[in-house]
Amino acid sequence: MSKPALALMAVLAACGTNSEHLGNSQVSRMLEERTGHKLGPTTAAGTTSIPETVTLDDGVTIDEAIAIALWNNPSFLTALSELGLRRADVVQAGLLQNPQFNLLFPVAAKEVASTVVAPLEDLWLRGKRIKIAELAWEQVSELLVQGGLNLVRDVQVAAAELRIARERTQLAQDRHDLQVRIHDFYAARLRSGAASKLEVDSALVQSLSADQLARQAQQAAELAEQRMRTVLGIDLESRELTFPTTHDPVALIEIDEAQLLHDAMTSRPELRAAQLLLEQEGERVGLAKLEVLRISGIWEFYEEGRSGFESGPGIRIYLPLFDWGQGRSAAAKARLDRAARLFWETRQRIVQQVTDACMQVRHAKNNLQHWRDDVAPALQAARTTAARAHARGHTTLLPVLDQDAALLGVRDNILQAKAALMTTTAQLEWSVGRKLTNPITP
């Protein structure tokens, strides 16, 4: 074989793709930009890892819970393995097809001959194939960042549900204590002849019902903690992690809907993934046109009498007389059109999600402020008036107990408003695609 042919084969054999940069680092960086948390190191399946920034001695905060979830949630870690598959596609796209070696045995007067056939179309198709595979890898990276944001939202919602469930437990216990006081009140009046047995029995039933509701509230809090552990991806039987009860004020978010919509267009990984899919399909349209041209290089070796072996080059051209790739081109254009429509559908959906989340946060914020700042103070003033009247002997204790029951009802409404505000705020951050940095804590 001639030296140029050997050199060409060496160059072709060396063709490959450097995929070392196609790891988890880009996903980790994009997640950190949006949430302040990185991905954890790659570990064996079923292994629990605690980030070094997490301190277990004083319980787990929401930020620490998010960090733990990004390191341990099984569903998220399973999705991360998709990056390895897309990285393998990039490597495969950069490889050339193996050449064919044909050997013709000498029969009768025919001399021995052999040929090496190598597809040459890889030389001009390889670049587009690599580009498409890299775009697919980047698209998966963006979708994994979106999956990370989904997980962050799930942790925030689970934390909000746990906090509210624990506060409901205390509220239910306070209601039971109040019903016991009401029962004692009617029992004392029964002994003095001022109340009937029916009123006492009715108060007893209310007390027993309140006791059962308090037990159910405690069970709901335990289930909420189990759900929190499940989202974090830690062993349900492990008691190493605890979630301390917090009574911090709920943050009120100042909403600039126009700015949030602008931020969502640049921050939502889902939209960027749709754009990358559109670019992929555009590249595939060009690839479908180039795939029509198929040429193979041939190098033949044959025995030439006493002069030994001779060799020489040649080519094999596949003439596109019938198949011009019409079907492949039509399919590629159809996928391109579908990707374009998907991009605009995704964009419109994000706008709707941000708009809805802004509205829900505003409603939840107004609802909380109404119950906490308007109704609760007015009812507390009425309770104070009833207590003074009772202290002066103007009324019985019953009006005071009635006001206490009304206050417990307002506390329940405040808890519902707080739960709605925390979950809708988490939904708003998810819809924008980043952590909101302008909370106001009253």
Side-chain angles (χ1 to χ4, degrees):
M1 185 181 294
S2 64
K3 291 183 178 180
L6 289 172
L8 178 60
M9 291 185 66
V11 171
L12 295 179
C15 287
T17 305
N18 182 12
S19 61
E20 295 299 324
H21 64 289
L22 304 180
N24 294 354
S25 58
Q26 179 172 329
V27 177
S28 181
R29 176 182 56 80
M30 291 190 292
L31 270 176
E32 186 178 16
E33 290 173 353
R34 290 166 170 81
T35 67
H37 300 282
K38 299 180 181 179
L39 293 179
T42 302
T43 58
T47 303
T48 300
S49 302
I50 303 299
E52 60 276 5
T53 57
V54 174
T55 303
L56 301 178
D57 297 339
D58 56 351
V60 179
T61 64
I62 293 182
D63 278 342
E64 290 175 333
I66 292 173
I68 293 173
L70 290 174
W71 282 38
N72 296 280
N73 183 270
S75 298
F76 182 61
L77 295 182
T78 300
L80 280 177
S81 62
E82 185 71 17
L83 273 182
L85 299 177
R86 299 287 76 81
R87 177 182 175 183
D89 290 343
V90 174
V91 173
Q92 188 64 37
L95 300 178
L96 302 179
Q97 298 182 58
N98 292 322
Q100 298 178 5
F101 176 75
N102 304 310
L103 177 63
L104 303 177
F105 297 103
V107 178
K110 184 180 180 301
E111 305 293 343
V112 64
S114 61
T115 58
V116 176
V117 182
L120 300 181
E121 63 264 18
D122 287 351
L123 298 178
W124 55 82
L125 296 180
R126 178 176 179 271
K128 278 197 172 293
R129 288 172 177 169
I130 293 176
K131 180 70 175 298
I132 292 172
E134 288 181 339
L135 287 172
W137 178 88
E138 191 174 352
Q139 178 197 9
V140 169
S141 298
E142 295 288 347
L143 291 176
L144 287 173
V145 175
Q146 183 65 57
L149 295 178
N150 296 348
L151 179 57
V152 169
R153 176 200 57 190
D154 293 344
V155 172
Q156 292 173 330
V157 171
E161 291 176 347
L162 176 58
R163 171 177 175 176
I164 295 302
R166 287 176 171 174
E167 293 189 27
R168 284 186 184 279
T169 300
Q170 183 59 52
L171 176 61
Q173 184 59 50
D174 291 345
R175 274 180 169 159
H176 173 254
D177 294 342
L178 177 61
Q179 291 299 329
V180 170
R181 291 176 58 199
I182 293 175
H183 173 262
D184 293 343
F185 168 76
Y186 280 110
R189 288 176 63 83
L190 176 63
R191 289 191 294 271
S192 63
S196 66
K197 183 69 165 56
L198 178 61
E199 290 175 314
V200 175
D201 292 343
S202 176
L204 178 60
V205 170
Q206 294 295 327
S207 175
L208 294 175
S209 298
D211 180 60
Q212 181 59 29
L213 291 175
R215 296 174 188 272
Q216 293 177 358
Q218 180 61 40
Q219 294 169 0
E222 293 173 358
L223 289 174
E225 182 171 343
Q226 294 287 48
R227 286 194 295 268
M228 184 72 171
R229 291 176 180 273
T230 301
V231 172
L232 266 57
I234 59 178
D235 185 4
L236 295 180
E237 299 300 325
S238 172
R239 296 299 178 218
E240 185 180 11
L241 299 184
T242 58
F243 308 99
T245 301
T246 175
H247 298 286
D248 297 334
V250 178
L252 301 181
I253 302 296
E254 287 295 331
I255 296 177
D256 183 348
E257 186 170 332
Q259 182 62 45
L260 292 178
L261 284 170
H262 177 270
D263 292 346
M265 294 300 104
T266 58
S267 298
R268 276 292 289 272
E270 186 180 1
L271 184 62
R272 175 59 180 160
Q275 182 181 359
L276 289 168
L277 177 61
L278 184 60
E279 294 179 19
Q280 285 179 61
E281 301 303 344
E283 293 291 336
R284 286 194 173 96
V285 170
L287 180 63
K289 296 178 181 178
L290 292 176
E291 285 177 337
V292 176
L293 183 59
R294 297 180 58 194
I295 301 177
S296 297
I298 302 174
W299 202 280
E300 184 179 13
F301 305 87
Y302 57 92
E303 188 176 5
E304 184 65 26
R306 296 181 179 180
S307 62
F309 282 92
E310 298 290 341
S311 66
I315 61 172
R316 176 188 295 162
I317 301 177
Y318 296 84
L319 299 178
L321 297 179
F322 309 106
D323 181 5
W324 284 84
Q326 301 94 322
R328 290 189 297 272
S329 294
K333 291 177 181 178
R335 286 193 295 265
L336 177 61
D337 179 71
R338 181 179 62 184
R341 297 179 186 278
L342 177 63
F343 173 80
W344 288 106
E345 176 194 346
T346 302
R347 190 179 187 278
Q348 185 62 33
R349 184 171 64 253
I350 290 173
V351 171
Q352 187 65 45
Q353 289 169 347
V354 174
T355 302
D356 289 349
C358 288
M359 183 180 300
Q360 290 168 356
V361 169
R362 280 195 293 264
H363 290 171
K365 175 182 175 181
N366 293 337
N367 197 27
L368 175 60
Q369 289 176 326
H370 170 71
W371 288 107
R372 185 189 59 191
D373 302 336
D374 298 334
V375 178
L379 194 55
Q380 185 61 49
R383 197 269 181 195
T384 301
T385 301
R388 289 174 180 171
H390 171 66
R392 294 169 182 171
H394 297 163
T395 64
T396 65
L397 184 61
L398 186 58
V400 179
L401 297 176
D402 289 341
Q403 294 299 323
D404 286 339
L407 281 172
L408 289 176
V410 171
R411 279 178 56 188
D412 191 16
N413 291 330
I414 291 175
L415 280 181
Q416 294 180 28
K418 286 168 62 176
L421 182 58
M422 287 188 287
T423 54
T424 55
T425 299
Q427 183 70 17
L428 178 59
E429 290 187 339
W430 172 84
S431 67
V432 175
R434 64 170 178 83
K435 184 176 181 179
L436 299 179
T437 57
N438 59 341
I440 297 177
T441 302

